[in-house]
Amino acid sequence: MCGICGYYSFRKEISSKNILEMNKSIRHRGPDDEGFWLFDGVVGKSFSGVDSTQKIKEAFPVLEEEKSKIALGFRRLSILDLSEKGHQPMLSDHEKISLTFNGEIYNFKKLRKELEDLDHTFKSHSDTEVILRSYEEWGTEMFAKFDGMFAIALIDLEKNKLLLARDRVGLKPLFYYKNQDTILWASEIKSLLKHEFLTPEINWQGVYTNFLFQTTLAPETCFKDVFSLEPASFINIDLNNFKTEKEFYWKFPPTNQNISEDEAAIKIDQLLSESVQKQLFADVPVASMMSGGIDSTLITAKSKPYKNDINAFTIAYPFSEDEVKNAALVADKFDVLHHIKKVSDEEILSQLKENIQHFEEPYSSLEVLMNAAEYAKSFGFKVVLSGNGADELFAGYSHSLKLNRWLSMKNFNFIRNFIFTNDDFSLKVKNYFSQDSLFDFFRQSQVGMKPLQAKSVFKKEIYNQINSDLKQFHLSETYNYNGLFEYDMKYSLSSHHVFRDDLSAMKYGVEFRYPYLSNDLIDYVSSLPEKFRFNGTQNKPLLRKVGQKYLPSEVLKMPKRGFSFPLAYFIKKEKNMQDFIVENLESLKKRNFFNSEVIDEWWKNQKDEYDYVKIWQLVTFELWYQKYFEEQ
């Protein structure tokens, strides 16, 4: 687990101060080591950095002022092969291929054996070297072979190309900026903003989707001309003519109808066990994060046979009493050492601004994952198993249970044309009957602003810059659960949850892993008949069937809840929070981006939790703007 960054200046050599500043800005992602590789158009050279290990400094000079066309930067969080042999950027034997890599390849031992049988030799025990040898053997076909999470930047001087690649569901982030002269890339946007060629500008299209979906839909970001590389894709840049091509290397498999539900549950049980076993492998301590629901408690239960000393921890916050109780039940049943961290109101307030601004876009809730990562680090855990991904894979969200009703009600969407009043109830009804596509149905479930609300709050001259139909983000649009599954996987999981997971965990140098999101499990579950995965009356029916074998009934019966601090409760209860909001709303109104009278109306008339979310989205926009446009 690491952080990577780099650039290619097509027309001229530029100063190494760019890569030094880019790498410094993501130090939190890898405090154990750093490294650089620079190419001036003729010769490539490796360098150490201020934070490099002593052995690396002895092997390579510390990078100071250099000129180059290509630069690779690397921050290391040592998880596998803790020796200097896992150092990056990693070069091929003839030094024509240079690689930086963020993530973990869980099947690297199997791939290593294949490569050894093909006469490849290895100098380390790292998965990074397996990627390097895989590229030498299979080229870009290697991406489809990797089971894990990864963001990769690779320079091939023999073929004169640069490759940027991301894992199949986007567990590891990779952002890039490209103009006619330069391409920049990094694990976090804040690294890109340190480059001399990039001056941050607001991408209002990205802000609009952020307000509607709780996150900016990939490949857009909230920064103009800064993009998120889409999951399961890679881009190939020709170093000679700067031509860029994007390819996708994976898609969901076809449905397999020749199987029974009981057989499917048995196979899922087996595949999940195999995934847990692979992801427990590390050369550092590993823990399981339990929220008390089915997803994370099942991961903990399945970890125990493979790692007898597995620890588990739970984050407690207001109204999470049932989750904490259920997590303790599972820990007791499987004799797992269980730690409980209570997050107080005061703790949330003390870290509020810093934590919000660490995210690189506005946000719609109070995140406690950073508290979880900080707590894990305090116990010495560098690797944490997470239950994230189960909701998307197994139809766990409440909106999936509303799908059949919407499919029947959308036939009456013409009703919206006969609603002429503008009271709250009328607007809600009009919004409901404005869901013409499955994409609209998915958007409706995401808690953020509704389209009419967003339109009302933006200044007219800003809103006119936005393409509000969003058809470029539509997927297959099949009117069934499989269509909703695609949106959940791409926009709920990849653009939202794991992106926030990565930023939260890596702020404290912790790696989250996701056993539900192994290649084999995703391929198998997504190929099952829809009737097994979705019944319209109960969330996660297949996973519940598996969980019955392991979990107490209290866990199986617990209703689905999100993993975040209760925002509405906190705003209503805390005077300091109310003052914080008013201060930032007043600052925001002066910027002339949004309609002040609408902001005031929203703040004065909060009736349900969704009204608090709208306000919070505006507050976090203001904090985002302060951080990335005024403090740079």
Side-chain angles (χ1 to χ4, degrees):
M1 181 61 65
C2 312
I4 64 174
C5 58
Y7 54 80
Y8 173 41
S9 177
F10 180 51
R11 303 195 186 277
K12 64 178 182 178
E13 294 184 352
I14 56 176
S15 170
S16 58
K17 70 180 182 182
N18 288 284
I19 197 67
L20 286 166
E21 289 298 313
M22 291 173 75
N23 218 40
K24 183 180 178 181
S25 71
I26 52 171
R27 184 183 185 278
H28 52 275
R29 297 187 68 90
D32 297 333
D33 186 22
E34 73 172 329
F36 303 93
W37 180 85
L38 274 62
F39 180 69
D40 62 7
V42 179
V43 178
K45 295 180 183 178
S46 295
F47 295 88
S48 61
V50 173
D51 292 327
S52 296
T53 65
Q54 187 57 41
K55 286 187 177 180
I56 294 300
K57 287 180 179 178
E58 291 169 2
F60 307 113
V62 174
L63 179 60
E64 294 178 347
E65 178 63 36
E66 296 277 340
K67 294 281 190 177
S68 71
K69 299 189 74 172
I70 301 176
L72 299 179
F74 165 74
R75 307 288 330 193
R76 185 180 187 189
L77 180 67
S78 301
I79 301 292
L80 295 175
D81 191 349
L82 307 186
S83 74
E84 279 75 14
K85 291 181 180 179
H87 174 79
Q88 297 181 41
M90 186 174 284
L91 274 59
S92 61
D93 294 339
H94 50 45
E95 299 190 355
K96 294 293 185 182
I97 301 169
S98 302
L99 168 71
T100 52
F101 152 62
N102 168 33
E104 304 286 349
I105 307 299
Y106 301 123
N107 63 337
F108 81 99
K109 289 185 175 180
K110 179 182 176 183
L111 293 173
R112 177 180 173 131
K113 179 65 170 61
E114 281 186 48
L115 291 161
E116 286 174 336
D117 291 343
L118 293 167
D119 295 327
H120 288 268
T121 58
F122 290 80
K123 299 175 182 177
S124 73
H125 298 286
S126 69
D127 50 355
T128 307
E129 189 176 6
V130 169
I131 296 174
L132 190 62
R133 306 298 176 197
S134 294
Y135 177 73
E136 291 175 332
E137 183 65 35
W138 298 305
T140 57
E141 292 180 7
M142 69 177 180
F143 300 129
K145 295 177 179 287
F146 295 155
D147 183 6
M149 49 186 182
F150 60 84
I152 292 171
L154 182 148
I155 305 290
D156 184 340
L157 296 179
E158 282 190 331
K159 297 182 179 178
N160 284 306
K161 66 180 179 180
L162 158 66
L163 289 173
L164 302 176
R166 197 172 175 206
D167 65 73
R168 59 158 67 181
V169 291
L171 295 173
K172 289 292 104 187
L174 189 58
F175 299 97
Y176 66 96
Y177 165 86
K178 186 177 184 294
N179 60 23
Q180 68 273 19
D181 297 318
T182 309
I183 183 166
L184 323 174
W185 62 89
S187 298
E188 297 183 17
I189 294 173
K190 56 181 68 71
S191 177
L192 299 180
L193 298 179
K194 294 298 181 181
H195 197 283
E196 64 181 281
F197 287 177
L198 177 52
T199 302
E201 295 182 60
I202 298 175
N203 173 25
W204 290 110
Q205 188 71 37
V207 172
Y208 179 71
T209 65
N210 180 282
F211 282 173
L212 266 56
F213 292 87
Q214 304 186 66
T215 190
T216 313
L217 301 186
E220 296 271 359
T221 72
C222 289
F223 296 89
K224 187 177 180 181
D225 297 325
V226 173
F227 298 96
S228 172
L229 184 60
E230 290 174 273
S233 75
F234 64 91
I235 55 177
N236 186 340
I237 299 97
D238 190 312
L239 299 180
N240 293 320
N241 58 22
F242 213 44
K243 182 180 178 182
T244 302
E245 295 178 343
K246 180 189 287 187
E247 292 185 40
F248 290 85
Y249 61 83
W250 174 81
K251 60 182 180 180
F252 291 114
T255 302
N256 174 18
Q257 300 286 357
N258 299 318
I259 193 169
S260 72
E261 189 174 0
D262 287 338
E263 288 172 329
I266 292 169
K267 184 66 174 178
I268 289 168
D269 193 357
Q270 173 202 328
L271 291 175
L272 185 56
S273 293
E274 291 172 359
S275 181
V276 167
Q277 184 180 18
K278 285 180 187 176
Q279 297 195 27
L280 282 169
F281 182 75
D283 294 326
V284 295
V286 181
S288 176
M289 181 170 60
M290 285 203 296
S291 67
I294 298 171
D295 311 341
S296 56
T297 52
L298 185 55
I299 294 298
T300 304
K302 284 186 160 294
S303 297
K304 181 68 175 180
Y306 302 112
K307 188 172 179 59
N308 189 52
D309 63 347
I310 186 77
N311 280 232
F313 68 91
T314 301
I315 303 299
Y317 49 88
F319 308 117
S320 67
E321 293 83 4
D322 289 343
E323 286 92 333
V324 176
K325 179 181 175 182
N326 287 348
L329 275 175
V330 172
D332 184 62
K333 178 177 179 179
F334 291 98
D335 192 24
V336 171
L337 186 59
H338 186 213
H339 313 274
I340 299 173
K341 162 65 175 175
K342 184 175 181 180
V343 179
S344 66
D345 295 1
E346 293 75 20
E347 192 172 347
I348 288 289
L349 277 172
S350 68
Q351 301 172 335
L352 189 59
K353 185 172 181 178
E354 177 191 343
N355 285 350
I356 290 169
Q357 290 185 329
H358 185 68
F359 291 131
E360 297 166 337
E361 61 183 28
Y363 196 27
S364 61
S365 70
L366 281 174
E367 188 61 79
V368 294
L369 276 171
M370 286 187 191
N371 302 91
E374 185 178 22
Y375 187 64
K377 183 181 180 180
S378 73
F379 274 89
F381 298 116
K382 272 190 173 182
V383 174
V384 174
L385 299 191
S386 166
N388 215 335
D391 283 323
E392 289 82 4
L393 199 58
F394 292 99
Y397 290 118
S398 58
H399 62 253
S400 66
L401 303 182
K402 302 173 184 177
L403 177 62
N404 288 339
R405 181 171 180 267
W406 172 73
L407 287 171
S408 61
M409 293 294 288
K410 73 181 184 67
N411 296 319
F412 300 95
N413 279 1
F414 63 88
I415 288 173
R416 67 177 183 251
N417 298 316
F418 299 95
I419 299 174
F420 303 107
T421 51
N422 287 317
D423 59 278
D424 286 346
F425 178 75
S426 298
L427 290 174
K428 285 181 180 179
V429 172
K430 188 171 184 178
N431 177 73
Y432 183 84
F433 286 106
S434 297
Q435 300 172 70
D436 294 322
S437 65
L438 193 63
F439 178 80
D440 292 333
F441 172 78
F442 173 75
R443 184 266 308 156
Q444 172 80 2
S445 71
Q446 298 306 297
V447 182
M449 295 182 197
K450 307 310 178 193
L452 290 175
Q453 293 169 339
K455 183 178 181 180
S456 71
V457 79
F458 279 108
K459 287 281 189 179
K460 186 175 181 180
E461 58 270 26
I462 298 291
Y463 188 78
N464 287 342
Q465 300 176 40
I466 296 167
N467 179 5
S468 61
D469 71 10
L470 303 181
K471 286 182 180 174
Q472 69 268 34
F473 297 106
H474 286 203
L475 301 177
S476 66
E477 280 294 311
T478 56
Y479 283 83
N480 53 26
Y481 168 70
N482 277 333
L484 180 59
F485 171 72
E486 287 184 59
Y487 283 117
D488 277 342
M489 290 294 287
K490 181 164 185 180
Y491 295 137
S492 176
L493 181 68
S494 299
S495 286
H496 177 43
H497 289 300
V498 293
F499 166 54
R500 300 298 163 88
D501 271 19
D502 178 85
L503 283 172
S504 298
M506 294 307 295
K507 184 174 189 286
Y508 293 100
V510 173
E511 172 179 297
F512 284 173
R513 294 182 176 180
Y514 310 93
Y516 287 109
L517 298 174
S518 69
N519 287 4
D520 289 345
L521 197 54
I522 291 173
D523 283 343
Y524 184 77
V525 173
S526 59
S527 71
L528 291 172
E530 181 177 309
K531 62 182 179 182
F532 296 169
R533 302 156 60 200
F534 168 75
N535 59 25
T537 58
Q538 182 186 50
N539 67 349
K540 289 183 276 206
L542 258 183
L543 194 61
R544 289 178 184 278
K545 199 173 182 69
V546 174
Q548 288 171 0
K549 182 178 173 182
Y550 302 93
L551 301 177
S553 60
E554 293 90 338
V555 174
L556 295 169
K557 291 175 183 176
M558 191 178 80
K560 165 69 181 169
R561 286 192 57 188
F563 184 55
S564 62
F565 211 81
L567 179 66
Y569 153 83
F570 200 49
I571 293 175
K572 286 186 286 187
K573 176 177 181 282
E574 290 286 347
K575 176 67 164 54
N576 288 344
M577 182 67 155
Q578 295 166 14
D579 293 341
F580 177 81
I581 288 172
V582 170
E583 176 187 344
N584 282 287
L585 289 181
E586 289 303 313
S587 178
L588 179 64
K589 286 191 290 185
K590 295 174 185 175
R591 300 195 187 282
N592 213 31
F593 297 147
F594 302 101
N595 290 315
S596 296
E597 63 275 16
V598 175
I599 294 175
D600 290 339
E601 181 188 347
W602 286 3
W603 178 235
K604 291 175 184 175
N605 298 290
Q606 298 170 70
K607 299 171 184 174
D608 56 37
E609 62 180 291
Y610 301 109
D611 292 330
Y612 290 96
V613 169
K614 292 185 301 185
I615 288 293
W616 194 241
Q617 288 180 302
L618 294 174
V619 170
T620 56
F621 174 93
E622 168 62 19
L623 295 172
W624 169 77
Y625 187 86
Q626 290 175 16
K627 173 72 174 178
Y628 296 102
F629 294 87
E630 293 184 336
E631 296 178 14
Q632 285 293 312

